[in-house]
């Protein structure tokens, strides 16, 4: 969170976290493509060795003011490949909420679990309370034939009562539901704090 | 506008991001031992950078890797020519990526 006193804005940060190739970047690309140009900032794309990570500013006007400040969201993704650990930690710094993108494919459960565990580690290191920190879960790639049943995914990850959404980011299904739930969760947490 | 201090109080990365988030038109002048740096900011972006003989993004990467140093923030001089227009997040993420790829 960054209170921009000069502009009367509150800058809030949401990070899309998850295993490599789970569909984080695809989520952001869809959001960017479907957001009117006057409501969004610049899409930044960084080349990593095999893929790229993305970040952009996103101004959401539908959500009411927080403590009389205009909320402005910045969305980030982390690079999922194992050796970008320091980048992931850096990107998570100062984040107000996380969207955890699960790859629903049967063969990707170990990666999902490992990624969840590192997310928890980073959040704890950054001083967050996992009980109250806004995490929204997205079960992505529901369109694939080898997608595990949602019940099975829920059983394998410590989701507790967190909001969950089924999605097919490549088709755009569930992408905005996930984002809206995350923004609402972040704003609710900020309101509780002030 | 005049602000000065030491990078032991606020990191170069945090200073650049803060000034950019507030969309200040400012110039950061920094020095450490014999090295000097000059970073120009406007409209939330880094618009010019010089550090230890380097220019552009490379100059910013140099500055943020300084272990210490002193800085002064002044109003952006009128004659400054924009040679780049890059949000600070992009430069910092790029720096982080490079560091991981060196280790990895
Ligand atoms: N079938 C299907 N494919 C998807 C879906 N979402 C993403 N993909 C594909 O999965 C691959 C990886 O997607 P990315 O969005 O790049 O994944 P990422 O999580 O950003 O990956 P890293 O940046 O490496 O961590 C791409 O080929 C996407 O087209 C989905 O909902 N269904
Ligand atoms: Mg990606």
């Amino acid at each position: 969170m960054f209170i921009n006193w000069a502009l009367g804005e509150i800058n809030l940060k949401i990070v899309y976290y998850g295993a490599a190739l789970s569909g984080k970047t695809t989520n952001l690309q869809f959001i960017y493509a479907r957001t009117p140009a006057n409501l969004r900032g610049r899409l930044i794309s960084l080349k990593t060795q095999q893929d790229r990570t993305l970040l952009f500013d996103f101004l959401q006007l539908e959500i009411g003011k927080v403590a009389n400040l205009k909320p402005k969201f910045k969305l980030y993704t982390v690079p999922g490949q194992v050796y970008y650990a320091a980048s992931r930690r850096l990107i998570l710094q100062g984040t107000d909420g996380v969207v955890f993108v699960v790859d629903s494919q049967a063969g990707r459960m170990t990666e999902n679990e490992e990624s969840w565990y590192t997310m928890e580690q980073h959040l704890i290191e950054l001083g967050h309370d996992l009980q109250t920190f806004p995490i929204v879960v997205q079960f992505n790639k529901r369109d694939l034939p080898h997608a595990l049943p949602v019940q099975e995914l829920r059983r394998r990850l410590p989701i507790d009562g967190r909001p969950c959404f089924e999605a097919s980011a490549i088709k755009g299904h569930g992408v905005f539901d996930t984002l809206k739930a995350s923004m609402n969760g972040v704003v609710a947490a900020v309101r509780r704090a002030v | 506008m005049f602000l000065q201090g030491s990078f032991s109080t606020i990191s170069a990365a945090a200073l650049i991001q803060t000034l950019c988030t507030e969309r200040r038109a400012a110039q950061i002048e920094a020095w450490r031992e014999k090295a000097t740096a000059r970073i120009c900011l406007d409209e939330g972006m880094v618009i010019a950078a010089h550090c230890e003989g380097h220019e552009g993004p490379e100059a910013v990467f140099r500055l943020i890797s300084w272990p210490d140093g002193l800085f002064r923030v002044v109003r952006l001089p009128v004659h400054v020519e924009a040679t780049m227009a890059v949000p600070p997040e992009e430069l910092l993420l790029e720096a982080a990526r490079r560091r991981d790829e060196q280790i990895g």
Side-chain angles (χ1 to χ4, degrees), chain A residues 24-25 51-53 77-79:
Chain A
K24 304 175 294 293
T25 297
D51 198 54
R52 58 233 170 125
T53 184
T77 75
V78 296

Side-chain angles (χ1 to χ4, degrees), chain B:
Chain B
M1 183 174 13
F2 191 78
L3 167 73
Q4 66 182 2
S6 152
F7 290 131
S8 59
T9 313
I10 182 168
S11 68
L15 181 65
I16 293 169
Q17 286 181 96
T18 303
L19 292 166
C20 283
T21 304
E22 293 204 334
R23 306 182 82 82
R24 303 287 178 184
Q27 174 167 278
I28 301 170
E29 298 161 1
W31 55 98
R32 164 177 195 272
E33 293 166 2
K34 287 193 177 107
T36 61
R38 187 161 58 79
I39 310 286
C40 300
L41 313 172
D42 197 14
E43 302 275 327
M45 297 208 231
V46 181
I47 60 159
H50 302 266
C51 182
E52 301 178 67
H54 294 268
E55 282 187 35
E58 197 57 45
V60 179
F61 301 152
R62 296 264 159 172
L63 176 64
I64 62 176
S65 69
W66 284 9
D68 51 48
L70 298 171
F71 67 84
R72 180 167 63 189
V73 180
V74 298
R75 193 188 299 276
L76 186 69
V78 279
H79 57 81
V80 164
E81 197 189 325
T83 54
M84 59 195 282
V86 186
E89 292 90 344
E90 183 171 337
L91 296 167
L92 297 172
L93 291 173
E94 174 68 16
R97 181 188 69 82
R98 288 184 177 204
R99 198 178 48 188
D100 278 341
E101 286 180 355
Q102 270 165 17
I103 301 164

Side-chain angles (χ1 to χ4, degrees), chain A residues 16-29 48 50-54 77-81 84 88 101 103 105 138-145 167-173 175:
Chain A
Y16 280 67
Y17 199 98
L21 304 179
S22 59
K24 304 175 294 293
T25 297
T26 308
N27 265 273
L28 257 68
Q29 282 169 334
T48 58
Q50 289 154 43
D51 198 54
R52 58 233 170 125
T53 184
L54 290 170
T77 75
V78 296
Q81 289 127 276
Y84 289 112
R88 279 194 292 278
V101 181
D103 191 329
Q105 294 179 92
Q138 181 185 73
F139 301 123
N140 191 31
K141 306 201 184 179
R142 298 309 301 163
D143 58 290
L144 288 179
S168 169
I170 206 158
K171 296 180 176 165
H173 298 161
V175 169

